[in-house]
């Protein structure tokens, strides 16, 4: 409880001479107590002032700490937001990679089917009476059902009976009896064709240079000569005369007789 100061008695007054001495004695007699109580209150007020100053300093320190903590919290929030952004990017990247992996797996599966089909003798050729003009772009043919065409296969469509007219492209779809091809290469000879031979592959190559004569076969001889074995070695021959003209000694020499 705060220090209290006792109320002073009625002070003396010259307007009341009859009570002046009595009131003067009482008033002056209360002075020592008044001084003591006043000093106690002053000490208490001073203590409170000191505490207020200390509390003010502590409050300022707490405010600075709170500000620092708030700044740290803001930094943590920013870091967390950056980590969330990074995680989102990683999830997006992982999804993209998963999509690529799925696509590659589908392509591998399609390739495996093609390999198995080829190994089992499945035909990759068909005929079509669909009328199509020779030109680059998307082309559609009605073909036999049950063929083994698949997306991504190279397709070669040639006019039946006329290999100078053709289109080459990539299969973009095959369902039922409908074959769709993205044509990227065409023959110099154009026109609209209504009878097609269609198969996988590209344009057939040009005829190669004929090979050299077989090993051991001698160069040409005059008409009527025979090819005769010279020795027991493989491919060791020579040109000889017809049998009617061959001397007996020659035939014996070469083991004919």
């Amino acid at each position: 409880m705060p220090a209290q100061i006792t109320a002073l008695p009625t002070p003396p007054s010259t307007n009341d001479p009859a009570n002046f001495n009595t009131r003067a004695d009482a008033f002056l007699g209360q002075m020592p107590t008044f001084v003591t109580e006043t000093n106690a209150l002053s000490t208490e007020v001073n203590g409170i002032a000191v505490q207020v100053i200390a509390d003010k300093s502590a409050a300022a320190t707490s405010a600075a700490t709170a500000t620092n903590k708030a700044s740290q919290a803001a930094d943590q929030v920013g870091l967390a937001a950056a980590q969330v952004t990074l995680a989102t990017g990683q999830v997006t990247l992982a999804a993209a990679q998963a999509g690529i992996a799925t696509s590659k797996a589908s392509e591998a599966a399609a390739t495996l089917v093609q390999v198995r089909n080829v190994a089992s003798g499945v035909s990759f050729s068909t005929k079509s009476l669909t009328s199509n003009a020779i030109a680059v772009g998307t082309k559609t043919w009605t073909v036999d059902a049950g063929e083994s065409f698949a997306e991504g296969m190279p397709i070669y469509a040639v006019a039946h009976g006329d290999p100078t007219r053709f289109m080459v492209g990539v299969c973009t779809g095959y369902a039922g009896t409908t074959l769709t091809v993205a044509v990227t290469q065409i023959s110099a000879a154009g026109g609209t064709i209504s009878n097609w031979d269609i198969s996988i592959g590209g344009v057939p190559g040009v005829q190669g240079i004929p090979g050299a004569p077989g090993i051991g076969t001698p160069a040409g001889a005059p008409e009527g000569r025979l090819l005769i074995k010279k020795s027991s070695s493989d491919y060791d021959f020579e040109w000889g005369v017809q049998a009617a003209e061959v001397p007996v000694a020659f035939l014996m020499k070469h083991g004919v007789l």
Side-chain angles (χ1 to χ4, degrees), residues 69-163:
K69 294 294 185 182
S71 178
Q72 293 177 357
D75 291 341
Q76 293 296 326
V77 170
L79 178 60
Q83 290 175 333
V84 169
T85 300
L86 177 60
T88 302
Q90 291 174 333
V91 169
T92 301
L93 177 60
Q97 291 174 332
I100 293 173
T102 300
S103 177
K104 293 297 182 183
S106 298
E107 292 176 5
T111 301
L112 180 60
V113 170
Q114 295 173 21
V115 171
R116 287 176 175 173
N117 286 340
V118 171
S120 61
V122 174
S123 173
F124 287 96
S125 63
T126 185
K127 296 183 180 298
S128 176
L129 299 180
T130 303
S131 180
N132 265 318
I134 295 177
V136 173
T138 300
K139 300 292 180 180
T140 301
W141 284 272
T142 298
V143 299
D144 295 333
E147 297 292 338
S148 297
F149 297 115
E151 290 186 21
M153 279 185 173
I155 300 296
Y156 174 55
V158 59
H160 182 71
D162 186 0

Side-chain angles (χ1 to χ4, degrees), residues 149-199:
F149 297 115
E151 290 186 21
M153 279 185 173
I155 300 296
Y156 174 55
V158 59
H160 182 71
D162 186 0
T164 65
R165 287 178 165 82
F166 60 82
M167 291 190 284
V168 180
V170 176
C171 174
T172 57
Y174 173 60
T177 60
T178 300
L179 173 66
T180 305
V181 177
V183 175
T184 57
Q185 182 181 355
I186 60 176
S187 60
T192 299
I193 311 299
S194 59
N195 190 352
W196 297 91
D197 294 326
I198 302 173
S199 62

Side-chain angles (χ1 to χ4, degrees), residues 10-27:
T10 302
S13 174
T14 57
N15 293 324
D16 185 11
N19 296 308
F20 184 87
N21 291 336
T22 301
R23 291 180 177 177
D25 290 340
F27 188 83

